[in-house]
Amino acid sequence: MQSQESFPVNGVDFLQEDFINELAALSGLQEQGLIALQQGARQIRESELLARFAWHAHWRMNLAAPEDGFFPSFLPESGMAIPGGNRYLFTLATLAPLPRLKKYYSVRGIPRQVLCETLHDLQVWTETGFQKTGQWVCLNNNWLHNHMIPNLFALGRLEFQFGQWHSPIHVYKKRQGNSLCFVPGGNEALSADGFRLGNPGEQSAFMSVFHEENGQVTGNPANIAGTLERETVCLDLQDWELYLNPGEPVLHLHIPAGAPLRKEDCQASLQRAWTFFPKYFPEFKYKAICCTSWLFDPTLSRYLPESNIAAFQSLFHLFPVPAASGWQTMQRVFGDPDIEISKAPQKTTLQKIVKEHLMQGRFWHSGGAFLLPGEQLG
């Protein structure tokens, strides 16, 4: 096996106590998680078979060339057997490039604070692992791989990832000023509330319209709440331009768990992003920040107008995304997207609202959010 030709016979660095202690110091991994990770590493070190497999996983994810078997998601799928029953092996293999990551930050001049904030996801997902399994184990190694490449950076409450625009909605920008208009394609089935259908049993109330002719675009625009209007709008292309094309650079926004979603904290993160990326990645000429999340369902703001969620939504332009279902809402609110709604817990105000809405025969939808570089809303 090609990976074994480079196996370090004097010990695998990312299985050593010093490596894990440094990882914990950078990420804020708490004592219980640190102890569990050290114990898992010890078991691997004491088994040549496991140590060699851990090295192979690291080699496939982080060292191999494409022609040699590079595979950035070399991680077990749900239901697959875990080598030696060790649930820490893939976490350690994923995080093995820590020395390379530190050098990358140093060369770019990125502050250590950003490295610590970014790696804090290890603690977040280890806490999630304990909540779900009763063991201090990271449940999302695939996600952590983004941090190690790196193509994702945490700047306070929010995270930002290099990406490209692929959303199937037309974004038009006023040639004078920053006014935006979001228009979907034509012949899409829309609900009476102006959502793009994505839930089983959801009924169509009207079809979207889109056509461009004689220097004008006609379609169903998104309103300020983030749903689509029945009435069409006509945009004169002398006054409006198509702002984004598929494949153009954007920053994808991510909203990690583990802290309150306070508006002021999110504003501070956005402010940091406006200066961070031009300073440390001037070559990445992104055209927008965008995100898709259950938190951008405008129905949440109607139920909870004074909530952190409503305040967070106010920071962005909202637009409906295609095939928008309530799967993520169920997963995040109840912890189980397939839970029988009549048996869903009612411990929080949000759980009560989500359940009652569904019991009324209505639906939830993930939504999209958008900001121009440097733009400040809310």
Side-chain angles (χ1 to χ4, degrees), residues 288-352:
I289 284 179
C290 57
C291 181
T292 298
S293 171
W294 71 280
L295 289 165
F296 295 121
D297 186 332
T299 309
L300 290 168
S301 289
R302 293 200 288 271
Y303 278 112
L304 299 166
E306 304 301 321
S307 66
N308 282 344
I309 292 176
F312 181 57
Q313 289 185 4
S314 74
L315 298 176
F316 303 90
H317 303 283
L318 303 184
F319 63 92
V321 297
S325 74
W327 186 93
Q328 192 184 42
T329 304
M330 299 292 285
Q331 195 271 335
R332 293 301 178 93
V333 175
F334 300 120
D336 180 2
D338 301 315
I339 192 170
E340 185 179 334
I341 190 58
S342 62
K343 298 179 180 178
Q346 299 285 270
K347 296 178 181 179
T348 68
T349 298
L350 185 57
Q351 287 178 338
K352 293 174 182 178

Side-chain angles (χ1 to χ4, degrees), residues 3 7 32 71 73 93 102 113 118 147 154 165 192 198 224 258 303 322 326 343 372:
S3 65
F7 178 76
Q32 301 96 325
F71 193 64
S73 294
K102 290 166 54 184
Q113 176 191 354
T118 301
H147 305 53
W165 177 254
I224 194 171
Y303 278 112
K343 298 179 180 178
L372 297 170

Side-chain angles (χ1 to χ4, degrees), residues 78 87 123-141 257 327-338:
S78 178
R87 305 188 70 168
Q123 168 62 19
V124 170
W125 283 105
T126 300
E127 286 182 354
T128 301
F130 181 74
Q131 293 164 7
K132 291 188 175 182
T133 69
Q135 293 181 291
W136 293 98
V137 58
C138 177
L139 289 186
N140 202 344
N141 299 311
W327 186 93
Q328 192 184 42
T329 304
M330 299 292 285
Q331 195 271 335
R332 293 301 178 93
V333 175
F334 300 120
D336 180 2
D338 301 315

Side-chain angles (χ1 to χ4, degrees), residues 79-346:
M80 288 180 61
I82 301 172
N86 189 298
R87 305 188 70 168
Y88 305 94
L89 187 150
F90 287 107
T91 299
L92 290 164
T94 300
L95 299 173
L98 179 61
R100 185 176 71 193
L101 181 67
K102 290 166 54 184
K103 182 177 180 180
Y104 180 91
Y105 271 65
S106 176
V107 169
R108 287 270 177 174
I110 301 172
R112 177 185 171 90
Q113 176 191 354
V114 177
L115 177 62
C116 293
E117 290 176 308
T118 301
L119 291 177
H120 185 66
D121 266 352
L122 174 61
Q123 168 62 19
V124 170
W125 283 105
T126 300
E127 286 182 354
T128 301
F130 181 74
Q131 293 164 7
K132 291 188 175 182
T133 69
Q135 293 181 291
W136 293 98
V137 58
C138 177
L139 289 186
N140 202 344
N141 299 311
N142 269 313
W143 180 244
L144 292 180
H145 185 71
N146 291 304
H147 305 53
M148 309 307 292
I149 297 175
N151 75 341
L152 180 144
F153 302 88
L155 302 173
R157 182 62 185 85
L158 304 174
E159 297 175 337
F160 303 85
Q161 184 178 25
F162 299 127
Q164 296 178 331
W165 177 254
H166 290 298
S167 181
I169 193 165
H170 304 90
V171 182
Y172 290 93
K173 180 177 176 292
K174 201 76 175 289
R175 295 185 185 274
Q176 300 296 323
N178 286 333
S179 296
L180 297 173
C181 187
F182 300 86
V183 183
N187 297 315
E188 288 192 38
L190 307 175
S191 73
D193 294 329
F195 290 102
R196 302 162 87 172
L197 306 188
N199 292 291
E202 196 168 8
Q203 298 298 310
S204 171
F206 64 105
M207 301 295 291
S208 66
V209 172
F210 180 85
H211 54 83
E212 179 181 340
E213 57 185 2
N214 300 323
Q216 294 184 323
V217 167
T218 301
N220 301 88
N223 55 36
I224 194 171
T227 58
L228 296 173
E229 297 282 357
R230 277 181 182 262
E231 296 296 322
T232 60
V233 68
C234 185
L235 303 178
D236 189 328
L237 294 180
Q238 290 187 341
D239 300 323
W240 295 82
E241 63 176 332
L242 182 64
Y243 181 69
L244 274 173
N245 292 299
E248 291 194 287
V250 297
L251 287 173
H252 292 303
L253 174 74
H254 299 286
I255 311 156
L261 195 66
R262 289 190 290 260
K263 180 179 179 179
E264 59 270 26
D265 295 337
C266 297
Q267 285 177 313
S269 284
L270 291 168
Q271 288 291 338
R272 287 178 64 183
W274 300 146
T275 58
F276 177 84
F277 288 97
K279 180 176 182 179
Y280 298 110
F281 298 95
E283 72 279 12
F284 188 73
K285 308 294 186 183
Y286 68 97
K287 299 189 69 174
I289 284 179
C290 57
C291 181
T292 298
S293 171
W294 71 280
L295 289 165
F296 295 121
D297 186 332
T299 309
L300 290 168
S301 289
R302 293 200 288 271
Y303 278 112
L304 299 166
E306 304 301 321
S307 66
N308 282 344
I309 292 176
F312 181 57
Q313 289 185 4
S314 74
L315 298 176
F316 303 90
H317 303 283
L318 303 184
F319 63 92
V321 297
S325 74
W327 186 93
Q328 192 184 42
T329 304
M330 299 292 285
Q331 195 271 335
R332 293 301 178 93
V333 175
F334 300 120
D336 180 2
D338 301 315
I339 192 170
E340 185 179 334
I341 190 58
S342 62
K343 298 179 180 178
Q346 299 285 270

